Amino acid sequence: MDLIVNGGKPLSGTIIPSGNKNSALPLVCATLLTDEPVTLHNVPDITDIAKIVAFMTRQGSRIDWDKAAGTMRLDHGAFKNELVNHELPQDMRSTVLLYPALLRRVKKIVIPANATGCSLGVREIDPHLEILAKLGAVIDESEPLVIALPDGFRAARHWGDYMSVTVTENFLMAAALADGESTLINAASEPHVQDLCAALTLMGAQIEGAGTSMLRVRGVKKLNGCTARISSDYHEIVTFLALGAITGGEIRVEKSLPQHFDLITRAFAKLGVTIEHEGTTAIVRRNQSLVIEEPYTTNLLAKIEAAPWPYFSVDLLPLMVALATRARGTIHFWNKVYENGFSWIPELAKFGAHILVSDPHRITLFGSKPLRPAIVDAPYIIRATIALYMVAASIPGRSMVKNADTIRRAHPRFVENLQTLGAEVEWK
């Protein structure tokens, strides 16, 4: 679907963000580790979760999902411990988060050949296979790939090549029921990983080091049911603050997780935007200066670089790129994670943005150039698609962001929320 945008209007109002997609997916998958009922609150109504729920329901799980209230009750007591045709949910990368629980239940899974995600770059499966093998799985490297767990998970110590979020989450789920104490060094520590640690702890897991790069998990015999809450989506919080800034409006975002915002606030400040916090409400005031901050080392460009948490989040970088098109000055952006993280920049240039692509990981943006409405093609990258919308929203006139429905993978009611802020935007 396409987004039709009549831009140039300040967006103002109050928003309550949805639950974090990147928390919700592993939490829903983790409920398969127990036969006792689990209740989740603040569950976002997004396509990937719907696919996981449909799979679990086909296997016999009872799931009651009140989408309006954001509440989901999952009971896997009748889950069939055999997969029909080895079938797993297709066309999404988050299927890998089902592996630990399914191996516990069905003992053997076949990896689908066409699991996808977005267009940021190659998402290798090797680190997942490595961590599962360390914890007791047996890998048959035939075609298709078969993973088996003949004797249950066993404790292990592992030092990851890099801070992978989903590998860390799979480690947590497998180690929670492993025999002995497991350690993961170079663990991811993002807010959504912290959410999973908190939920597993409520289920009876014994986890030390949540929010750090070293996790220790003492395995238990069984996990119990619980009630857990998914935290606000900090990506969505930043999205609406950036939309206020780029359109000259004033937006307040409630339930805004200020404890995670120090570096995010600094990134905004580099673009001349001040973010305020009143309790748990984040505020961007109208008519921000939008002047790129000059570094003290005057022979260097201002820079925003993104890498695994606690660095500035790489998923937020496109929003800062969009905002920088309206800021006076020059700034360097460095994506240290994805080799295709800037593949969408030619679409941004259709609006008139001046950007030099140095290599797949680095760009230099010359801000405050004259922009014009345009028809652009969205990549299969959630935040890059939103960034294209941001720029269109800041330009008087009619623009179109084609194939923008990848936004729905992470942001329920995105267009409806924009309309409450005064945006003239609609799906076509």
Side-chain angles (χ1 to χ4, degrees):
M1 296 181 70
D2 305 332
L3 278 179
I4 307 300
V5 186
N6 288 311
K9 300 169 179 64
L11 304 188
S12 298
T14 300
I15 286 289
I16 298 176
S18 55
N20 188 340
K21 163 223 179 196
N22 291 329
S23 294
L25 287 166
L27 262 65
V28 168
C29 294
T31 65
L32 265 179
L33 296 169
T34 180
D35 282 334
E36 297 182 15
V38 175
T39 299
L40 301 177
H41 293 288
N42 204 29
V43 180
D45 180 10
I46 58 174
T47 53
D48 282 8
I49 291 180
K51 290 179 182 180
I52 295 286
V53 166
F55 163 75
M56 291 174 169
T57 301
R58 286 195 303 270
Q59 287 294 127
S61 299
R62 179 177 177 181
I63 300 175
D64 299 312
W65 186 3
D66 184 338
K67 294 181 179 180
T71 301
M72 182 183 293
R73 186 180 185 276
L74 304 99
D75 186 342
H76 303 298
F79 188 91
K80 299 169 189 168
N81 290 336
E82 181 176 344
L83 299 181
V84 178
N85 297 324
H86 306 292
E87 183 179 351
L88 291 171
Q90 304 292 303
D91 301 323
M92 59 178 183
R93 186 63 184 175
S94 52
T95 296
V96 299
L97 294 168
L98 286 167
Y99 294 175
L102 287 181
L103 286 171
R104 284 273 303 180
R105 288 179 175 272
V106 307
K107 305 302 181 186
K108 183 174 72 173
I109 57 176
V110 178
I111 295 177
N114 60 341
T116 60
C118 64
S119 302
L120 286 166
V122 177
R123 306 292 189 92
E124 59 178 334
I125 196 170
D126 298 64
H128 293 278
L129 301 179
E130 185 177 21
I131 195 68
L132 291 171
K134 278 282 188 77
L135 290 165
V138 177
I139 314 296
D140 180 353
E141 299 182 8
S142 57
E143 180 60 39
L145 202 66
V146 178
I147 311 173
L149 188 70
D151 301 311
F153 288 117
R154 61 171 185 266
R157 178 181 183 273
H158 183 66
W159 193 318
D161 290 341
Y162 60 94
M163 294 177 174
S164 165
V165 168
T166 49
V167 170
T168 299
E169 290 166 342
N170 272 343
F171 165 81
L172 286 163
M173 288 187 274
L177 291 167
D179 183 16
E181 181 174 294
S182 300
T183 300
L184 178 61
I185 303 166
N186 213 14
S189 59
E190 276 79 353
H192 29 286
V193 177
Q194 297 176 43
D195 272 6
L196 179 60
C197 288
L200 287 172
T201 299
L202 288 173
M203 294 170 69
Q206 298 183 20
I207 300 170
E208 296 178 8
T212 76
S213 61
M214 181 179 292
L215 292 169
R216 291 189 176 88
V217 182
R218 188 173 297 107
V220 296
K221 296 296 183 183
K222 66 183 292 290
L223 295 176
N224 49 261
C226 75
T227 297
R229 183 173 186 82
I230 293 162
S231 66
S232 299
D233 187 348
Y234 65 95
H235 303 101
E236 190 165 285
I237 296 167
V238 175
T239 295
F240 285 106
L241 294 172
L243 275 164
I246 201 170
T247 62
E250 180 169 317
I251 292 180
R252 303 170 65 93
V253 185
E254 299 178 354
K255 301 180 181 178
S256 65
L257 308 175
Q259 70 273 22
H260 294 315
F261 251 74
D262 297 60
L263 199 54
I264 293 169
T265 299
R266 284 170 56 193
F268 271 113
K270 290 181 179 181
L271 300 174
V273 176
T274 299
I275 303 298
E276 303 173 25
H277 293 276
E278 292 179 357
T280 58
T281 298
I283 307 163
V284 60
R285 304 289 183 188
R286 66 182 67 252
N287 298 323
Q288 296 285 319
S289 65
L290 294 183
V291 176
I292 293 170
E293 183 181 76
E294 292 287 343
Y296 288 113
T297 308
T298 55
N299 62 328
L300 295 178
L301 288 178
K303 178 176 62 175
I304 296 176
E305 53 188 275
W309 196 274
Y311 258 81
F312 183 76
S313 172
V314 70
D315 289 338
L316 300 179
L317 202 59
L319 309 180
M320 298 297 114
V321 172
L323 190 53
T325 64
R326 285 303 200 182
R328 189 168 70 252
T330 303
I331 187 167
H332 175 70
F333 290 98
W334 190 357
N335 180 331
K336 294 185 173 182
V337 179
Y338 298 124
E339 66 271 17
N340 286 335
F342 290 126
S343 60
W344 57 283
I345 293 301
E347 299 304 311
L348 190 59
K350 291 178 181 178
F351 291 113
H354 288 206
I355 303 170
L356 171 66
V357 178
S358 302
D359 57 46
H361 292 274
R362 296 177 298 164
I363 64 172
T364 300
L365 190 147
F366 305 89
S368 197
K369 301 298 182 181
L371 301 181
R372 58 186 178 271
I375 297 173
V376 297
D377 291 293
Y380 196 53
I381 303 171
I382 296 165
R383 245 66 60 180
T385 301
I386 292 173
L388 292 172
Y389 166 74
M390 282 176 55
V391 175
S394 75
I395 304 170
R398 185 179 188 272
S399 294
M400 179 186 296
V401 183
K402 300 175 68 175
N403 302 313
D405 46 325
T406 185
I407 292 172
R408 294 181 172 182
R409 291 185 54 225
H411 297 289
R413 295 184 54 80
F414 183 70
V415 165
E416 293 85 348
N417 282 332
L418 291 172
Q419 290 168 345
T420 67
L421 298 172
E424 291 189 20
V425 59
E426 61 181 353
W427 291 109
K428 179 182 178 182

